């Protein structure tokens, strides 16, 4: 019997796979978004999968760029680790988080130390990798549900395992990948009969549809032959809910109000405790990653509690909190996918505490870590996640004005009316959000929010990292700097004393309300001292204090 020509998975094939997957997901992104009805009908599964794949592809390209000067390119393990890490740090939404774990599962097998620094793997290795991927994804989900991407991934692994070895096909990566793709397609077509919400809507699972696309890209990368295209919309004949025997029905009106996602640096034991802490807070809990770095995704009503749980477990960052607008359909909901909300607010915030504060006020937030400002693509995605016809964008940083403008233009090209209010500090954003009234005409609301932000002077107190010339003189490393409206105005040795001087200078021009946002590294007493100073010296001025978390600055001050 003729032997099957062998194809292998190597670093170049991984690179090609990432590029093809990104291109394919880009082509079907809107189609997948349109069939997204589970676990939340927020119409973003295709977009989330695309952004996750984009992050994976970018990481792989960076590895290849790092080897351009050398004689040898990256190894298979290098490429797979980069792909998995890129997907992990860039994962978006429930579907993107699960895709990241699928890729990590493959890397656990093919890039494991015991695998050695082999240049490629054969079909046997690929089969083991697909099995580990499916198992890892299922383990990452707190409450696995059949009829979802998990079912499709398991079916792909089963089909790969069933490849006949009589003619050597089990050693051929292309044959194994094609079998996995066909198994995934078959399982995808059956998802409406497994999950009632899909059956009622007459669609297949959106996450599973995305996985089929990614597996199709793998087949093409290995064989050079494109796979048959899926139906444009993934729609099927509606299935009566009674026929979906295993479909979970969730009672409750609409489900949790927020999606919370963050990266977390923590050990395994802390993450195990975190899972137990988050599980009763909401649903759609997915925790992926390992080796000290995790991506946490959950839908909750108390966004602050979800972030606080992460702080207790380790160091959360890149926190994204999305407020689901009224009408979102959660697991098992009986309404059709929601219409866009009329108006929403998207804000960039510098700390976990402010992220919770803004989210409680109904804003979709993007967290900016010190030295890691969000890119325009991340802001554009936040504008999409707000899912509104009209969006007010608060960058809360003068350095983000061009980035925010680019994101706003992208959203406008997609039919969203966007107003960019040039807030330069989070305290200006708080002032704008305080007067936000969605019932007003859009232009009137924007004018009022802009006026409130513009009437708020802002300051920050931080520690100098190095010797430098400033507008207030020469500072040394370790000096405490007080910046007013972006310029260094005070150089001191003591945080509280410097903050008092800054506050006095700001209040010399008048004011009715002082807002203090205290960072985690600031002494516990600083807010009390400043509140007492305002009470004693400025009788007609009120003070409000917020905890900002890890916000970069020790203290933010706003005076209205």
């Amino acid at each position: 019997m003729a032997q099957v020509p062998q194809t292998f998975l190597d670093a170049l094939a991984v690179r090609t796979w990432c590029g093809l997957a990104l291109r394919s997901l880009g082509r079907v992104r809107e189609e997948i978004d349109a069939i997204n009805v589970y676990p939340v009908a927020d119409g973003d599964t295709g977009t989330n999968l695309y952004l996750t794949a984009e992050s994976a592809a970018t990481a792989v390209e960076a590895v290849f760029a790092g080897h351009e000067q050398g004689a040898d390119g990256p190894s298979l393990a290098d490429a797979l680790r980069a792909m998995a890490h890129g997907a992990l740090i860039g994962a978006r939404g429930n579907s993107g988080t699960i895709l990241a774990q699928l890729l990590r599962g493959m890397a656990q097998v093919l890039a494991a130390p015991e695998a050695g620094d082999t240049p490629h793997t054969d079909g046997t290795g690929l089969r083991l990798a697909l099995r580990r991927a499916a198992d890892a994804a299922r383990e990452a989900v707190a409450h696995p549900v059949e009829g979802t991407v998990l079912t499709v991934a398991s079916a792909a692994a089963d089909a790969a395992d069933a490849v006949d070895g009589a003619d050597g096909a089990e050693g051929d990566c292309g044959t194994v990948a094609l079998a996995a793709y066909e198994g995934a397609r078959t399982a995808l077509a059956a998802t409406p009969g497994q999950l009632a919400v899909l059956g009622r809507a007459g669609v297949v699972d959106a996450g599973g549809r995305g996985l089929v696309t990614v597996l199709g890209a793998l087949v093409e990368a290995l064989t050079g032959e494109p796979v048959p295209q899926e139906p444009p919309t993934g729609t099927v004949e509606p299935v009566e809910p009674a026929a979906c025997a295993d479909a979970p029905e969730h009672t409750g009106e609409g489900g949790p109000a927020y999606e919370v996602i963050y990266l977390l640096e923590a050990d395994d034991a802390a993450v195990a405790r975190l899972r137990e802490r988050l599980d009763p807070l909401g649903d759609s809990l997915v925790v992926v990653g390992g080796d000290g770095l995790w991506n946490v995704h959950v839908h909750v009503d108390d966004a602050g509690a979800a972030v606080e749980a992460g702080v207790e477990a380790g160091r959360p960052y890149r926190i994204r909190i999305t407020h689901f607008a009224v009408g979102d359909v959660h697991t098992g909901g009986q309404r059709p996918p929601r219409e866009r909300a009329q108006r929403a607010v998207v804000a960039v915030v510098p700390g976990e505490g402010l992220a919770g504060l803004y989210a409680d006020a109904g804003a979709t937030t993007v967290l900016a870590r010190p030295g890691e400002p969000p890119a325009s693509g991340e802001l554009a995605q936040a504008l999409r996640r707000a899912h509104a016809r009209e969006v007010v964008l608060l960058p809360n940083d003068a350095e983000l004005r061009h980035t925010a403008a680019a994101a706003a233009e992208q959203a406008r090209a997609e039919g969203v009316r966007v107003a960019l209010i040039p807030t330069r500090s989070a305290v200006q954003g708080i002032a704008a959000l305080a007067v936000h009234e969605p019932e007003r005409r859009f232009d009137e609301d924007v004018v009022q929010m802009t006026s409130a932000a513009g009437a708020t002077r802002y300051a920050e107190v931080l520690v100098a990292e190095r010797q430098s010339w400033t507008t207030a003189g020469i500072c040394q490393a370790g000096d405490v700097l007080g910046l007013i409206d972006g310029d260094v105005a005070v150089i001191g040795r003591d945080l509280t004393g410097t903050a008092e001087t800054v506050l006095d200078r700001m209040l010399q021009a008048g004011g009715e309300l002082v807002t203090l946002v205290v960072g985690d590294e600031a002494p516990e007493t600083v807010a009390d001292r400043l509140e007492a100073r305002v009470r004693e010296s400025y009788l007609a001025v009120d003070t409000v204090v917020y905890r900002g978390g890890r916000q970069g600055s020790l203290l933010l001050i706003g005076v209205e």
Side-chain angles (χ1 to χ4, degrees), residues 207-402:
R209 171 73 170 88
L211 178 57
V212 169
T213 299
V214 172
L215 289 172
L218 176 60
V219 174
E220 185 173 356
L222 290 168
T223 67
E225 298 292 331
V227 296
Q229 293 299 307
E230 290 295 303
T233 63
T235 56
V236 296
E237 288 297 318
V239 178
E240 289 299 321
C244 307
D246 296 328
E249 288 293 339
H250 295 253
T251 58
E253 195 64 30
Y258 300 100
E259 178 183 60
V260 179
I261 307 174
Y262 50 81
L263 292 178
L264 177 69
E265 294 178 358
D267 59 33
D268 291 1
V271 170
R273 292 192 296 271
L274 175 66
R275 291 177 191 269
E276 295 177 357
R277 173 83 181 276
L278 290 177
D279 193 21
L281 292 181
D283 60 31
S284 297
L285 173 60
V286 185
V287 181
V288 305
D291 301 321
L293 180 62
W294 309 81
N295 191 308
V296 180
H297 170 281
V298 66
H299 295 170
V300 293
D301 280 319
D302 189 345
V307 175
E308 288 170 7
V311 173
E312 291 179 6
R315 188 173 77 90
Y317 59 100
R318 291 194 185 178
I319 300 170
R320 293 186 296 277
I321 300 176
T322 301
H323 179 254
F324 294 125
V326 175
D328 269 327
V329 182
H330 285 257
T331 52
Q334 304 222 2
R335 291 165 291 172
R338 66 178 170 98
E339 294 292 328
R340 288 182 179 272
Q342 183 59 36
R343 191 173 308 163
V345 176
V346 172
V348 180
V349 292
E352 301 94 335
L354 282 178
L357 173 68
Y358 273 73
D360 288 343
T364 295
T365 63
V366 178
L367 190 124
R369 285 187 72 203
E372 293 187 17
S376 61
E378 188 169 0
L379 293 185
Q381 169 64 353
L383 291 170
R384 294 188 192 102
R385 293 299 304 273
H387 206 64
R389 298 182 182 89
E390 302 167 340
V391 180
V392 179
L393 177 57
L394 306 174
N396 291 339
D397 186 340
E399 298 298 321
L400 287 177
R401 61 187 183 277
H402 297 306

Side-chain angles (χ1 to χ4, degrees), residues 315-560:
R315 188 173 77 90
Y317 59 100
R318 291 194 185 178
I319 300 170
R320 293 186 296 277
I321 300 176
T322 301
H323 179 254
F324 294 125
V326 175
D328 269 327
V329 182
H330 285 257
T331 52
Q334 304 222 2
R335 291 165 291 172
R338 66 178 170 98
E339 294 292 328
R340 288 182 179 272
Q342 183 59 36
R343 191 173 308 163
V345 176
V346 172
V348 180
V349 292
E352 301 94 335
L354 282 178
L357 173 68
Y358 273 73
D360 288 343
T364 295
T365 63
V366 178
L367 190 124
R369 285 187 72 203
E372 293 187 17
S376 61
E378 188 169 0
L379 293 185
Q381 169 64 353
L383 291 170
R384 294 188 192 102
R385 293 299 304 273
H387 206 64
R389 298 182 182 89
E390 302 167 340
V391 180
V392 179
L393 177 57
L394 306 174
N396 291 339
D397 186 340
E399 298 298 321
L400 287 177
R401 61 187 183 277
H402 297 306
T403 301
E409 281 303 315
Q410 185 173 343
R412 291 181 187 123
E414 297 172 4
V416 180
R417 188 180 185 188
V418 181
L420 172 59
I421 297 179
T423 49
R424 293 170 290 173
S425 169
V427 291
Q428 288 189 324
I430 291 172
L433 202 55
V435 300
H436 169 54
E437 291 186 13
E439 294 77 17
R440 276 195 297 236
R441 288 196 309 109
F442 185 62
D443 291 340
E444 292 178 359
D445 197 27
V446 171
V447 167
Q448 292 299 319
M449 294 177 72
T450 303
S451 177
T456 302
R457 299 189 69 196
Y458 65 97
E460 63 178 321
V461 181
L462 46 81
V463 176
E465 296 181 354
R466 63 183 67 87
Q467 184 186 59
S468 179
W469 289 90
T470 76
T471 51
I474 299 176
C475 72
Q476 305 295 327
D479 282 348
V480 180
L481 307 181
L483 287 73
I484 300 177
D485 294 335
D487 294 322
V488 177
V490 180
I491 301 175
R493 295 288 184 182
D494 171 69
L495 170 62
T496 302
T498 303
E500 287 178 337
T501 301
V502 169
L503 187 56
D504 286 340
R505 291 194 184 184
M506 296 178 76
L507 287 172
Q508 285 175 0
E512 298 175 353
L513 176 66
V514 171
T515 300
L516 304 175
V517 183
V518 185
D520 276 355
E521 297 181 3
E524 292 287 338
T525 58
V526 66
D528 294 336
R529 287 279 300 274
L530 293 176
E531 282 189 284
R533 186 173 189 84
V534 172
R535 282 196 306 269
E536 295 166 2
S537 304
Y538 306 95
L539 300 180
V541 179
D542 294 323
T543 306
V544 60
V545 180
Y546 301 110
R547 299 293 169 181
R550 297 178 177 89
Q551 61 183 22
S553 301
L554 297 172
L555 179 69
L556 299 176
I557 303 174
V559 174
E560 301 176 47

